[in-house]
Coordinates of all heavy atoms in Angstrom, one line a residue:
M1 N -9.5 -49.2 -79.6 CA -8.0 -49.1 -79.4 C -7.3 -49.4 -80.7 O -7.6 -50.4 -81.4 CB -7.6 -50.1 -78.3 CG -6.2 -49.8 -77.8 SD -6.0 -48.2 -77.0 CE -6.6 -48.6 -75.3
I2 N -6.3 -48.6 -81.1 CA -5.5 -48.9 -82.3 C -4.1 -49.1 -81.9 O -3.7 -48.9 -80.7 CB -5.6 -47.8 -83.3 CG1 -5.2 -46.5 -82.7 CG2 -7.0 -47.7 -83.9 CD1 -4.8 -45.4 -83.7
Y3 N -3.3 -49.5 -82.8 CA -1.9 -49.8 -82.5 C -1.0 -48.9 -83.4 O -1.3 -48.6 -84.5 CB -1.6 -51.3 -82.8 CG -2.4 -52.2 -81.9 CD1 -3.7 -52.6 -82.3 CD2 -1.9 -52.6 -80.7 CE1 -4.4 -53.5 -81.5 CE2 -2.6 -53.4 -79.9 CZ -3.9 -53.8 -80.3 OH -4.6 -54.6 -79.4
C4 N 0.1 -48.6 -82.8 CA 1.1 -47.7 -83.5 C 1.8 -48.6 -84.6 O 2.2 -49.7 -84.3 CB 2.2 -47.3 -82.5 SG 3.6 -46.4 -83.3
P5 N 1.8 -48.0 -85.8 CA 2.4 -48.8 -86.9 C 4.0 -48.9 -86.7 O 4.6 -49.7 -87.4 CB 2.1 -47.9 -88.1 CG 1.9 -46.6 -87.6 CD 1.3 -46.7 -86.2
D6 N 4.5 -48.0 -85.9 CA 6.0 -48.0 -85.8 C 6.5 -49.0 -84.7 O 7.3 -49.8 -84.9 CB 6.4 -46.6 -85.5 CG 7.9 -46.4 -85.7 OD1 8.4 -46.9 -86.8 OD2 8.6 -45.9 -84.8
C7 N 5.9 -48.8 -83.4 CA 6.4 -49.6 -82.3 C 5.4 -50.7 -81.9 O 5.7 -51.6 -81.1 CB 6.8 -48.7 -81.1 SG 5.3 -47.9 -80.4
G8 N 4.2 -50.6 -82.4 CA 3.2 -51.6 -82.1 C 2.5 -51.4 -80.8 O 1.6 -52.3 -80.4
S9 N 2.8 -50.4 -80.0 CA 2.1 -50.2 -78.7 C 0.7 -49.6 -78.9 O 0.4 -49.0 -80.0 CB 2.9 -49.3 -77.8 OG 3.0 -48.1 -78.4
E10 N -0.1 -49.9 -77.9 CA -1.5 -49.4 -78.1 C -1.6 -47.9 -78.0 O -0.9 -47.3 -77.2 CB -2.4 -50.0 -76.9 CG -2.6 -51.5 -77.2 CD -3.6 -52.1 -76.1 OE1 -3.6 -51.5 -75.0 OE2 -4.3 -53.0 -76.4
V11 N -2.4 -47.3 -78.8 CA -2.6 -45.9 -78.8 C -4.0 -45.6 -78.7 O -4.9 -46.1 -79.4 CB -2.1 -45.3 -80.2 CG1 -2.1 -43.8 -80.2 CG2 -0.6 -45.7 -80.5
P12 N -4.4 -44.7 -77.8 CA -5.8 -44.3 -77.7 C -6.3 -43.7 -79.0 O -5.5 -43.0 -79.6 CB -5.8 -43.2 -76.6 CG -4.6 -43.5 -75.8 CD -3.6 -44.1 -76.7
S13 N -7.5 -44.1 -79.4 CA -7.9 -43.7 -80.7 C -8.1 -42.2 -80.9 O -8.1 -41.7 -82.0 CB -9.3 -44.4 -81.0 OG -10.2 -44.0 -80.0
N14 N -8.1 -41.4 -79.8 CA -8.2 -40.0 -80.0 C -6.8 -39.3 -79.8 O -6.7 -38.1 -79.9 CB -9.2 -39.4 -79.0 CG -8.8 -39.7 -77.5 OD1 -7.9 -40.5 -77.3 ND2 -9.4 -39.0 -76.6
A15 N -5.8 -40.1 -79.6 CA -4.4 -39.5 -79.4 C -3.8 -39.1 -80.7 O -4.0 -39.8 -81.7 CB -3.5 -40.5 -78.7
K16 N -3.0 -38.1 -80.7 CA -2.4 -37.6 -81.9 C -1.0 -38.2 -82.0 O -0.4 -38.2 -83.1 CB -2.4 -36.1 -82.0 CG -3.7 -35.5 -82.2 CD -3.6 -34.0 -82.5 CE -5.0 -33.4 -82.8 NZ -5.0 -31.9 -82.9
F17 N -0.4 -38.6 -80.9 CA 0.9 -39.1 -80.9 C 0.9 -40.4 -80.2 O 0.2 -40.7 -79.2 CB 1.9 -38.1 -80.2 CG 2.0 -36.8 -81.0 CD1 1.3 -35.8 -80.6 CD2 2.9 -36.7 -82.0 CE1 1.4 -34.6 -81.3 CE2 3.0 -35.5 -82.7 CZ 2.2 -34.4 -82.3
C18 N 1.8 -41.3 -80.6 CA 2.0 -42.6 -79.9 C 2.6 -42.4 -78.6 O 3.7 -41.7 -78.5 CB 2.8 -43.5 -80.8 SG 3.4 -45.0 -79.9
P19 N 2.1 -42.9 -77.5 CA 2.7 -42.8 -76.2 C 4.0 -43.6 -76.1 O 4.9 -43.3 -75.2 CB 1.7 -43.3 -75.2 CG 0.8 -44.2 -76.0 CD 0.8 -43.7 -77.4
G20 N 4.2 -44.6 -76.9 CA 5.3 -45.4 -76.9 C 6.6 -44.8 -77.5 O 7.6 -44.7 -76.9
C21 N 6.4 -44.3 -78.7 CA 7.6 -43.8 -79.5 C 7.4 -42.4 -79.9 O 8.3 -41.8 -80.4 CB 7.8 -44.7 -80.7 SG 6.5 -44.6 -81.9
G22 N 6.2 -41.8 -79.7 CA 6.0 -40.4 -80.1 C 5.7 -40.2 -81.6 O 5.6 -39.1 -82.0
L23 N 5.5 -41.3 -82.3 CA 5.2 -41.1 -83.7 C 3.8 -40.5 -83.9 O 2.9 -40.8 -83.2 CB 5.1 -42.5 -84.3 CG 4.8 -42.6 -85.9 CD1 6.1 -42.4 -86.6 CD2 4.2 -43.9 -86.2
Q24 N 3.8 -39.5 -84.8 CA 2.5 -38.8 -85.1 C 1.7 -39.8 -85.9 O 2.1 -40.4 -86.9 CB 2.8 -37.5 -85.8 CG 1.5 -36.7 -86.0 CD 1.8 -35.3 -86.5 OE1 2.9 -35.0 -86.9 NE2 0.7 -34.5 -86.5
R25 N 0.4 -39.8 -85.5 CA -0.5 -40.7 -86.3 C -1.0 -39.9 -87.5 O -1.6 -38.9 -87.4 CB -1.7 -41.0 -85.4 CG -1.4 -42.0 -84.3 CD -2.7 -42.2 -83.5 NE -3.8 -42.5 -84.4 CZ -5.1 -42.1 -84.2 NH1 -5.4 -41.5 -83.1 NH2 -6.0 -42.4 -85.0
S26 N -0.6 -40.5 -88.6 CA -1.0 -39.8 -89.9 C -2.3 -40.5 -90.4 O -3.3 -39.9 -90.7 CB 0.1 -39.9 -90.9 OG 0.6 -41.2 -91.0
T27 N -2.2 -41.8 -90.6 CA -3.4 -42.5 -91.1 C -4.0 -43.3 -89.9 O -3.3 -44.2 -89.4 CB -3.0 -43.5 -92.2 OG1 -1.9 -44.2 -91.8 CG2 -2.6 -42.7 -93.5
P28 N -5.2 -43.0 -89.5 CA -5.8 -43.7 -88.4 C -6.3 -45.1 -88.9 O -6.4 -45.4 -90.0 CB -7.0 -42.8 -88.1 CG -7.3 -42.1 -89.3 CD -6.0 -42.0 -90.1
E29 N -6.7 -45.9 -87.9 CA -7.4 -47.1 -88.1 C -6.6 -48.1 -88.9 O -7.0 -48.6 -90.0 CB -8.7 -46.9 -88.8 CG -9.9 -46.9 -87.9 CD -9.9 -45.8 -86.8 OE1 -8.9 -45.0 -86.6 OE2 -10.9 -45.7 -86.1
R30 N -5.4 -48.4 -88.4 CA -4.6 -49.5 -89.1 C -4.0 -50.4 -88.0 O -3.5 -49.9 -87.0 CB -3.4 -48.8 -89.9 CG -3.8 -48.3 -91.3 CD -4.0 -49.5 -92.2 NE -5.0 -49.2 -93.3 CZ -4.7 -48.5 -94.4 NH1 -3.5 -48.0 -94.5 NH2 -5.6 -48.3 -95.2
S31 N -4.0 -51.6 -88.3 CA -3.4 -52.6 -87.4 C -1.9 -52.5 -87.4 O -1.4 -51.9 -88.4 CB -3.9 -54.0 -87.7 OG -3.7 -54.2 -89.0
P32 N -1.2 -53.1 -86.5 CA 0.3 -53.0 -86.5 C 0.9 -53.5 -87.8 O 0.4 -54.5 -88.3 CB 0.7 -53.8 -85.3 CG -0.4 -54.6 -85.0 CD -1.6 -53.8 -85.3
R33 N 1.8 -52.8 -88.3 CA 2.4 -53.1 -89.7 C 1.3 -53.2 -90.7 O 1.4 -54.0 -91.6 CB 3.2 -54.4 -89.6 CG 4.2 -54.5 -88.6 CD 5.5 -53.9 -89.0 NE 6.4 -53.5 -87.9 CZ 7.2 -52.5 -87.9 NH1 7.2 -51.7 -88.9 NH2 7.9 -52.2 -86.8
G34 N 0.3 -52.4 -90.5 CA -0.9 -52.5 -91.3 C -0.7 -52.1 -92.7 O -0.1 -51.0 -93.0
R35 N -1.1 -52.9 -93.6 CA -1.1 -52.6 -95.0 C -2.1 -53.4 -95.6 O -2.3 -54.6 -95.3 CB 0.3 -53.0 -95.5 CG 0.5 -52.6 -97.0 CD 2.0 -52.8 -97.3 NE 2.9 -51.8 -96.7 CZ 4.0 -51.4 -97.2 NH1 4.4 -51.8 -98.3 NH2 4.7 -50.5 -96.5
P36 N -2.9 -52.9 -96.5 CA -4.0 -53.7 -97.1 C -3.5 -55.0 -97.6 O -2.5 -55.0 -98.4 CB -4.5 -52.8 -98.2 CG -4.2 -51.5 -97.9 CD -2.9 -51.6 -97.0
I37 N -4.1 -56.1 -97.2 CA -3.6 -57.4 -97.6 C -4.1 -57.9 -99.0 O -4.8 -58.8 -99.0 CB -3.9 -58.5 -96.5 CG1 -3.6 -57.9 -95.1 CG2 -3.1 -59.7 -96.7 CD1 -4.2 -58.7 -94.0
Q38 N -3.9 -57.1 -100.0 CA -4.3 -57.5 -101.3 C -3.1 -57.7 -102.2 O -3.1 -57.5 -103.4 CB -5.2 -56.4 -101.9 CG -6.7 -56.7 -101.7 CD -7.1 -57.9 -102.5 OE1 -6.5 -58.3 -103.5 NE2 -8.2 -58.6 -102.0
Q39 N -2.0 -58.0 -101.5 CA -0.7 -58.1 -102.2 C -0.7 -59.3 -103.2 O -0.3 -59.1 -104.3 CB 0.4 -58.4 -101.2 CG 1.8 -58.0 -101.7 CD 2.1 -56.5 -101.4 OE1 1.2 -55.7 -101.4 NE2 3.3 -56.2 -101.1
K40 N -1.3 -60.4 -102.8 CA -1.3 -61.5 -103.7 C -2.5 -61.4 -104.7 O -3.3 -60.5 -104.5 CB -1.5 -62.8 -102.9 CG -2.7 -62.9 -102.1 CD -2.9 -64.3 -101.5 CE -2.2 -64.4 -100.1 NZ -2.6 -65.7 -99.5
G41 N -2.4 -62.2 -105.7 CA -3.5 -62.2 -106.6 C -3.2 -61.5 -107.9 O -3.9 -61.4 -108.8
S42 N -1.9 -61.0 -108.0 CA -1.5 -60.4 -109.2 C -1.0 -61.5 -110.2 O -0.5 -61.2 -111.2 CB -0.4 -59.4 -109.0 OG 0.7 -60.0 -108.4
G43 N -1.1 -62.7 -109.7 CA -0.6 -63.9 -110.5 C -1.2 -63.9 -111.9 O -0.5 -64.2 -112.9
F44 N -2.5 -63.6 -112.0 CA -3.2 -63.7 -113.3 C -2.6 -62.6 -114.2 O -2.4 -62.9 -115.4 CB -4.7 -63.5 -113.1 CG -5.4 -64.7 -112.7 CD1 -5.9 -64.7 -111.4 CD2 -5.5 -65.8 -113.5 CE1 -6.5 -65.9 -111.0 CE2 -6.2 -66.9 -113.1 CZ -6.7 -67.0 -111.8
G45 N -2.3 -61.4 -113.7 CA -1.7 -60.4 -114.5 C -0.4 -60.8 -115.0 O -0.1 -60.6 -116.2
V46 N 0.5 -61.4 -114.1 CA 1.8 -61.8 -114.6 C 1.7 -62.9 -115.6 O 2.4 -62.9 -116.6 CB 2.6 -62.3 -113.3 CG1 3.9 -62.9 -113.8 CG2 2.8 -61.2 -112.3
A47 N 0.8 -63.8 -115.3 CA 0.6 -65.0 -116.3 C 0.1 -64.4 -117.6 O 0.6 -64.9 -118.7 CB -0.5 -65.9 -115.7
A48 N -0.8 -63.5 -117.6 CA -1.3 -62.9 -118.9 C -0.2 -62.2 -119.7 O 0.0 -62.4 -120.9 CB -2.4 -61.9 -118.6
L49 N 0.7 -61.5 -118.9 CA 1.8 -60.8 -119.6 C 2.7 -61.8 -120.2 O 3.1 -61.6 -121.3 CB 2.5 -59.9 -118.5 CG 3.4 -58.8 -119.1 CD1 2.7 -57.9 -120.0 CD2 4.0 -58.0 -117.9
V50 N 3.1 -62.8 -119.4 CA 4.1 -63.8 -119.9 C 3.5 -64.5 -121.1 O 4.2 -64.7 -122.1 CB 4.4 -64.8 -118.8 CG1 5.2 -65.9 -119.3 CG2 5.2 -64.1 -117.7
L51 N 2.2 -64.9 -121.0 CA 1.6 -65.6 -122.1 C 1.5 -64.7 -123.3 O 1.6 -65.2 -124.4 CB 0.2 -66.2 -121.7 CG 0.3 -67.4 -120.7 CD1 -1.1 -67.6 -120.1 CD2 0.7 -68.6 -121.5
G52 N 1.2 -63.5 -123.1 CA 1.2 -62.5 -124.2 C 2.5 -62.5 -125.0 O 2.5 -62.5 -126.2
I53 N 3.6 -62.5 -124.2 CA 4.9 -62.5 -124.9 C 5.1 -63.8 -125.6 O 5.6 -63.8 -126.7 CB 6.0 -62.2 -123.8 CG1 5.8 -60.8 -123.3 CG2 7.4 -62.4 -124.4 CD1 6.6 -60.5 -122.0
V54 N 4.8 -64.9 -124.8 CA 5.0 -66.2 -125.4 C 4.1 -66.4 -126.7 O 4.5 -67.0 -127.6 CB 4.7 -67.3 -124.4 CG1 4.6 -68.7 -125.0 CG2 5.7 -67.3 -123.2
G55 N 3.0 -65.7 -126.7 CA 2.1 -65.8 -127.8 C 2.7 -65.3 -129.1 O 2.2 -65.8 -130.2
F56 N 3.7 -64.4 -129.0 CA 4.3 -64.0 -130.2 C 5.1 -65.2 -130.9 O 5.2 -65.2 -132.1 CB 5.4 -62.9 -129.9 CG 4.7 -61.6 -129.8 CD1 4.6 -61.0 -128.6 CD2 4.3 -60.9 -130.9 CE1 4.0 -59.7 -128.5 CE2 3.7 -59.7 -130.8 CZ 3.5 -59.1 -129.6
L57 N 5.5 -66.1 -130.1 CA 6.2 -67.3 -130.6 C 5.3 -68.5 -130.8 O 5.3 -69.2 -131.8 CB 7.3 -67.7 -129.6 CG 8.3 -66.6 -129.3 CD1 9.3 -67.0 -128.2 CD2 9.2 -66.2 -130.5
I58 N 4.4 -68.7 -129.8 CA 3.5 -69.8 -129.9 C 2.1 -69.3 -129.8 O 1.6 -68.9 -128.8 CB 3.8 -70.8 -128.7 CG1 5.2 -71.2 -128.6 CG2 2.9 -72.0 -128.8 CD1 5.7 -71.7 -127.3
G59 N 1.5 -69.3 -131.0 CA 0.2 -68.6 -131.1 C -0.9 -68.9 -130.1 O -1.4 -68.0 -129.5
P60 N -1.1 -70.2 -129.8 CA -2.2 -70.6 -128.9 C -2.0 -70.0 -127.5 O -3.0 -69.8 -126.8 CB -2.1 -72.1 -128.8 CG -1.5 -72.5 -130.1 CD -0.6 -71.4 -130.4
A61 N -0.8 -69.6 -127.1 CA -0.6 -69.0 -125.8 C -1.3 -67.7 -125.7 O -1.7 -67.2 -124.6 CB 0.9 -68.9 -125.5
A62 N -1.5 -67.0 -126.8 CA -2.2 -65.7 -126.9 C -3.6 -65.9 -126.4 O -4.2 -65.0 -125.8 CB -2.1 -65.1 -128.3
V63 N -4.2 -67.0 -126.7 CA -5.6 -67.2 -126.3 C -5.6 -67.3 -124.8 O -6.5 -66.7 -124.1 CB -6.2 -68.5 -126.9 CG1 -7.6 -68.8 -126.4 CG2 -6.1 -68.5 -128.4
L64 N -4.7 -68.0 -124.2 CA -4.6 -68.1 -122.7 C -4.3 -66.7 -122.1 O -4.8 -66.3 -121.1 CB -3.5 -69.1 -122.3 CG -3.8 -70.5 -122.6 CD1 -2.6 -71.4 -122.3 CD2 -5.0 -71.0 -121.7
A65 N -3.5 -65.9 -122.8 CA -3.1 -64.6 -122.4 C -4.4 -63.7 -122.2 O -4.6 -63.0 -121.3 CB -2.1 -63.9 -123.3
I66 N -5.3 -63.9 -123.2 CA -6.5 -63.1 -123.2 C -7.4 -63.6 -122.0 O -8.0 -62.8 -121.3 CB -7.3 -63.2 -124.5 CG1 -6.5 -62.5 -125.6 CG2 -8.7 -62.7 -124.4 CD1 -7.1 -62.7 -127.0
I67 N -7.4 -64.9 -121.8 CA -8.3 -65.5 -120.7 C -7.7 -65.0 -119.4 O -8.5 -64.4 -118.6 CB -8.3 -67.0 -120.8 CG1 -9.0 -67.4 -122.1 CG2 -9.0 -67.6 -119.6 CD1 -8.9 -68.9 -122.4
F68 N -6.4 -65.2 -119.2 CA -5.8 -64.8 -117.9 C -5.9 -63.3 -117.7 O -6.1 -62.8 -116.6 CB -4.4 -65.3 -117.8 CG -4.2 -66.7 -117.5 CD1 -3.7 -67.6 -118.3 CD2 -4.7 -67.2 -116.2 CE1 -3.5 -68.9 -118.0 CE2 -4.6 -68.5 -115.9 CZ -4.0 -69.4 -116.8
G69 N -5.7 -62.6 -118.8 CA -5.8 -61.1 -118.7 C -7.2 -60.7 -118.3 O -7.3 -59.8 -117.4
A70 N -8.2 -61.3 -118.9 CA -9.6 -60.9 -118.5 C -9.9 -61.2 -117.1 O -10.5 -60.4 -116.4 CB -10.5 -61.7 -119.4
I71 N -9.4 -62.4 -116.6 CA -9.6 -62.8 -115.2 C -8.8 -61.8 -114.3 O -9.4 -61.3 -113.3 CB -9.1 -64.2 -114.9 CG1 -9.9 -65.2 -115.7 CG2 -9.1 -64.5 -113.4 CD1 -9.4 -66.6 -115.7
G72 N -7.6 -61.5 -114.7 CA -6.8 -60.6 -113.9 C -7.4 -59.2 -113.8 O -7.4 -58.6 -112.7
V73 N -7.9 -58.7 -114.9 CA -8.5 -57.3 -114.9 C -9.7 -57.3 -114.0 O -9.9 -56.4 -113.3 CB -8.8 -56.9 -116.4 CG1 -9.7 -55.7 -116.4 CG2 -7.6 -56.6 -117.2
G74 N -10.5 -58.4 -114.1 CA -11.7 -58.4 -113.3 C -11.4 -58.7 -111.8 O -12.2 -58.3 -111.0
R75 N -10.3 -59.3 -111.5 CA -10.1 -59.8 -110.1 C -9.4 -58.9 -109.2 O -9.8 -58.5 -108.1 CB -9.5 -61.2 -110.2 CG -9.3 -61.8 -108.8 CD -8.9 -63.2 -108.9 NE -10.0 -64.0 -109.4 CZ -10.1 -65.4 -109.4 NH1 -9.1 -66.0 -108.9 NH2 -11.1 -66.0 -109.9
N76 N -8.2 -58.5 -109.6 CA -7.3 -57.8 -108.6 C -7.0 -56.4 -109.1 O -7.0 -56.1 -110.3 CB -6.1 -58.6 -108.3 CG -5.4 -59.0 -109.6 OD1 -4.8 -58.2 -110.3 ND2 -5.4 -60.3 -109.9
R77 N -6.6 -55.6 -108.1 CA -6.3 -54.2 -108.5 C -4.8 -54.0 -108.7 O -4.4 -53.2 -109.6 CB -6.7 -53.3 -107.3 CG -8.1 -53.3 -107.1 CD -8.5 -52.5 -105.9 NE -10.0 -52.6 -105.6 CZ -10.5 -52.5 -104.5 NH1 -9.8 -52.1 -103.5 NH2 -11.8 -52.7 -104.3
R78 N -4.0 -54.8 -108.0 CA -2.6 -54.6 -108.1 C -2.0 -55.0 -109.5 O -1.2 -54.3 -110.1 CB -1.9 -55.4 -107.0 CG -1.0 -54.5 -106.1 CD -0.8 -55.2 -104.8 NE -0.9 -54.3 -103.7 CZ -0.1 -53.3 -103.5 NH1 1.0 -53.2 -104.2 NH2 -0.3 -52.5 -102.5
G79 N -2.4 -56.2 -109.9 CA -1.9 -56.7 -111.2 C -2.6 -56.2 -112.4 O -2.5 -56.8 -113.5
R80 N -3.5 -55.2 -112.2 CA -4.4 -54.9 -113.3 C -3.6 -54.3 -114.5 O -4.0 -54.6 -115.7 CB -5.4 -53.8 -112.8 CG -6.5 -53.6 -113.8 CD -7.6 -52.8 -113.2 NE -8.5 -53.6 -112.4 CZ -9.6 -53.2 -111.8 NH1 -9.8 -51.9 -111.8 NH2 -10.4 -54.0 -111.2
G81 N -2.6 -53.5 -114.3 CA -1.8 -53.0 -115.4 C -1.2 -54.1 -116.2 O -1.3 -54.1 -117.5
M82 N -0.7 -55.1 -115.5 CA 0.0 -56.2 -116.2 C -1.1 -57.1 -116.9 O -0.9 -57.6 -118.0 CB 0.7 -57.1 -115.2 CG 2.1 -56.5 -114.9 SD 3.1 -57.6 -113.9 CE 2.2 -57.6 -112.4
A83 N -2.3 -57.2 -116.2 CA -3.3 -58.0 -116.8 C -3.8 -57.3 -118.1 O -4.0 -58.0 -119.1 CB -4.5 -58.1 -115.9
W84 N -4.0 -56.0 -118.1 CA -4.3 -55.3 -119.3 C -3.3 -55.5 -120.4 O -3.6 -55.7 -121.6 CB -4.5 -53.8 -119.0 CG -5.9 -53.4 -118.6 CD1 -6.2 -52.9 -117.4 CD2 -7.1 -53.5 -119.3 NE1 -7.6 -52.7 -117.3 CE2 -8.1 -53.0 -118.5 CE3 -7.4 -54.0 -120.6 CZ2 -9.4 -53.0 -118.9 CZ3 -8.7 -54.0 -121.0 CH2 -9.7 -53.5 -120.2
A85 N -2.0 -55.4 -120.0 CA -1.0 -55.5 -121.0 C -1.0 -56.9 -121.6 O -0.9 -57.0 -122.9 CB 0.4 -55.3 -120.3
G86 N -1.2 -57.9 -120.8 CA -1.3 -59.3 -121.3 C -2.5 -59.5 -122.2 O -2.5 -60.1 -123.3
L87 N -3.6 -58.9 -121.8 CA -4.9 -59.0 -122.5 C -4.7 -58.3 -123.9 O -5.1 -58.9 -124.9 CB -6.0 -58.3 -121.7 CG -7.4 -58.3 -122.3 CD1 -7.9 -59.8 -122.3 CD2 -8.4 -57.5 -121.4
I88 N -4.2 -57.1 -123.9 CA -4.0 -56.4 -125.2 C -3.0 -57.1 -126.1 O -3.2 -57.2 -127.3 CB -3.6 -54.9 -124.9 CG1 -4.7 -54.2 -124.2 CG2 -3.1 -54.2 -126.1 CD1 -4.3 -52.9 -123.6
M89 N -1.9 -57.6 -125.4 CA -0.9 -58.3 -126.2 C -1.5 -59.6 -126.9 O -1.2 -59.8 -128.0 CB 0.2 -58.7 -125.3 CG 1.6 -58.4 -125.9 SD 2.9 -58.9 -124.8 CE 3.0 -57.5 -123.7
G90 N -2.3 -60.3 -126.1 CA -3.0 -61.5 -126.6 C -3.8 -61.1 -127.8 O -3.8 -61.8 -128.9
I91 N -4.6 -60.0 -127.7 CA -5.5 -59.6 -128.8 C -4.7 -59.2 -130.0 O -5.0 -59.6 -131.1 CB -6.4 -58.5 -128.3 CG1 -7.4 -59.0 -127.3 CG2 -7.1 -57.8 -129.5 CD1 -8.1 -57.9 -126.5
V92 N -3.6 -58.5 -129.8 CA -2.7 -58.0 -130.9 C -2.1 -59.2 -131.6 O -2.1 -59.3 -132.8 CB -1.6 -57.1 -130.3 CG1 -0.5 -56.9 -131.4 CG2 -2.2 -55.8 -129.9
V93 N -1.7 -60.2 -130.8 CA -1.0 -61.4 -131.4 C -2.0 -62.1 -132.2 O -1.8 -62.5 -133.4 CB -0.5 -62.3 -130.3 CG1 -0.1 -63.7 -130.8 CG2 0.8 -61.7 -129.7
I94 N -3.3 -62.3 -131.7 CA -4.3 -63.0 -132.4 C -4.7 -62.3 -133.7 O -4.8 -62.8 -134.8 CB -5.5 -63.3 -131.5 CG1 -5.1 -64.5 -130.6 CG2 -6.7 -63.7 -132.4 CD1 -6.2 -65.0 -129.7
G95 N -4.8 -60.9 -133.5 CA -5.0 -60.1 -134.7 C -4.0 -60.3 -135.8 O -4.3 -60.4 -137.0
L96 N -2.7 -60.3 -135.4 CA -1.6 -60.5 -136.3 C -1.7 -61.8 -137.0 O -1.5 -62.0 -138.2 CB -0.3 -60.3 -135.6 CG 0.1 -58.9 -135.3 CD1 1.4 -58.8 -134.4 CD2 0.3 -58.0 -136.5
M97 N -2.1 -62.8 -136.2 CA -2.2 -64.2 -136.7 C -3.3 -64.3 -137.7 O -3.1 -64.9 -138.8 CB -2.4 -65.2 -135.6 CG -1.2 -65.6 -134.8 SD -1.4 -67.2 -134.0 CE -2.9 -66.9 -133.1
V98 N -4.4 -63.6 -137.4 CA -5.5 -63.7 -138.4 C -5.1 -63.0 -139.6 O -5.4 -63.5 -140.7 CB -6.8 -63.0 -137.7 CG1 -7.8 -62.7 -138.8 CG2 -7.3 -63.8 -136.6
L99 N -4.5 -61.8 -139.5 CA -4.0 -61.1 -140.7 C -3.1 -61.9 -141.5 O -3.1 -62.0 -142.7 CB -3.3 -59.8 -140.3 CG -4.2 -58.6 -139.9 CD1 -3.4 -57.4 -139.4 CD2 -5.1 -58.2 -141.1
F100 N -2.2 -62.6 -140.8 CA -1.2 -63.4 -141.4 C -1.8 -64.5 -142.2 O -1.5 -64.8 -143.4 CB -0.2 -64.0 -140.3 CG 0.8 -65.0 -140.9 CD1 1.9 -64.5 -141.6 CD2 0.6 -66.3 -140.7 CE1 2.9 -65.4 -142.0 CE2 1.6 -67.2 -141.2 CZ 2.7 -66.7 -141.9
W101 N -2.8 -65.2 -141.6 CA -3.4 -66.3 -142.3 C -4.4 -65.9 -143.4 O -4.5 -66.5 -144.4 CB -4.2 -67.2 -141.3 CG -3.2 -68.0 -140.4 CD1 -3.0 -67.9 -139.1 CD2 -2.3 -69.0 -140.9 NE1 -2.0 -68.8 -138.7 CE2 -1.6 -69.5 -139.8 CE3 -2.1 -69.6 -142.2 CZ2 -0.6 -70.5 -139.9 CZ3 -1.2 -70.6 -142.3 CH2 -0.4 -71.0 -141.2
V102 N -5.0 -64.7 -143.2 CA -5.8 -64.1 -144.3 C -4.9 -63.8 -145.5 O -5.2 -64.1 -146.6 CB -6.5 -62.9 -143.8 CG1 -7.1 -62.1 -145.0 CG2 -7.6 -63.3 -142.9
F103 N -3.7 -63.3 -145.1 CA -2.7 -62.9 -146.2 C -2.3 -64.2 -146.9 O -2.3 -64.3 -148.1 CB -1.5 -62.3 -145.5 CG -0.4 -61.9 -146.4 CD1 -0.6 -60.8 -147.3 CD2 0.8 -62.5 -146.4 CE1 0.4 -60.5 -148.2 CE2 1.8 -62.2 -147.3 CZ 1.6 -61.1 -148.1
I104 N -1.9 -65.2 -146.1 CA -1.5 -66.5 -146.7 C -2.6 -67.1 -147.6 O -2.4 -67.5 -148.7 CB -1.1 -67.5 -145.6 CG1 0.2 -67.0 -144.8 CG2 -0.8 -68.9 -146.2 CD1 1.4 -67.1 -145.6
G105 N -3.8 -67.0 -147.0 CA -5.0 -67.6 -147.7 C -5.2 -66.9 -149.0 O -5.5 -67.5 -150.0
S106 N -5.1 -65.5 -149.0 CA -5.4 -64.8 -150.2 C -4.3 -65.1 -151.2 O -4.7 -65.1 -152.4 CB -5.4 -63.3 -149.8 OG -4.2 -62.8 -149.4
I107 N -3.1 -65.3 -150.8 CA -2.1 -65.7 -151.8 C -2.5 -67.0 -152.5 O -2.5 -67.1 -153.7 CB -0.7 -65.8 -151.1 CG1 -0.1 -64.5 -150.8 CG2 0.3 -66.6 -152.0 CD1 1.1 -64.5 -149.9
F108 N -2.8 -68.0 -151.7 CA -3.2 -69.3 -152.3 C -4.5 -69.1 -153.1 O -4.7 -69.8 -154.1 CB -3.4 -70.3 -151.2 CG -2.1 -70.9 -150.7 CD1 -1.6 -70.5 -149.5 CD2 -1.4 -71.8 -151.5 CE1 -0.4 -71.1 -149.1 CE2 -0.2 -72.4 -151.1 CZ 0.3 -72.0 -149.9
F109 N -5.4 -68.2 -152.7 CA -6.6 -68.0 -153.4 C -6.4 -67.5 -154.8 O -7.0 -67.9 -155.7 CB -7.5 -67.1 -152.6 CG -8.9 -66.9 -153.2 CD1 -9.8 -67.8 -153.0 CD2 -9.2 -65.7 -153.9 CE1 -11.1 -67.7 -153.5 CE2 -10.4 -65.6 -154.4 CZ -11.4 -66.5 -154.2
F110 N -5.4 -66.6 -154.9 CA -5.2 -65.9 -156.2 C -4.2 -66.7 -157.1 O -4.0 -66.3 -158.2 CB -4.7 -64.5 -156.0 CG -5.8 -63.6 -155.5 CD1 -5.8 -63.0 -154.2 CD2 -6.9 -63.3 -156.3 CE1 -6.8 -62.2 -153.8 CE2 -7.9 -62.5 -155.9 CZ -7.9 -61.9 -154.6
L111 N -3.6 -67.7 -156.5 CA -2.6 -68.5 -157.3 C -3.4 -69.3 -158.4 O -4.4 -69.9 -158.1 CB -1.8 -69.4 -156.4 CG -0.6 -68.7 -155.8 CD1 0.1 -69.7 -154.8 CD2 0.4 -68.2 -156.8
Ligands
ZN201 ZN1 4.8 -46.0 -81.4

């Protein structure tokens, strides 16, 4: 037995329409108000993105952005775009920092 996503009444699994409200069943096998419960868990992606942005100002945050980004990419589907963004941003920031310090170092080296 399944449940109508609109009115919540029971619908025989072979029925094409809900007997309660007449809603046509488009996607079968869903509980009432059914929606995959993977909503949460995008926290790592958000954290990675924020830390990536903060990393432009505070270098060490970029390291955390990479860590959180890697966790976010591996863990959840929803926040994956943000996790990737944070991960890439962290890498870019660290790359820029390395270039910056190599640049500074080379100046001092040639002085
Ligand atoms: Zn219904």
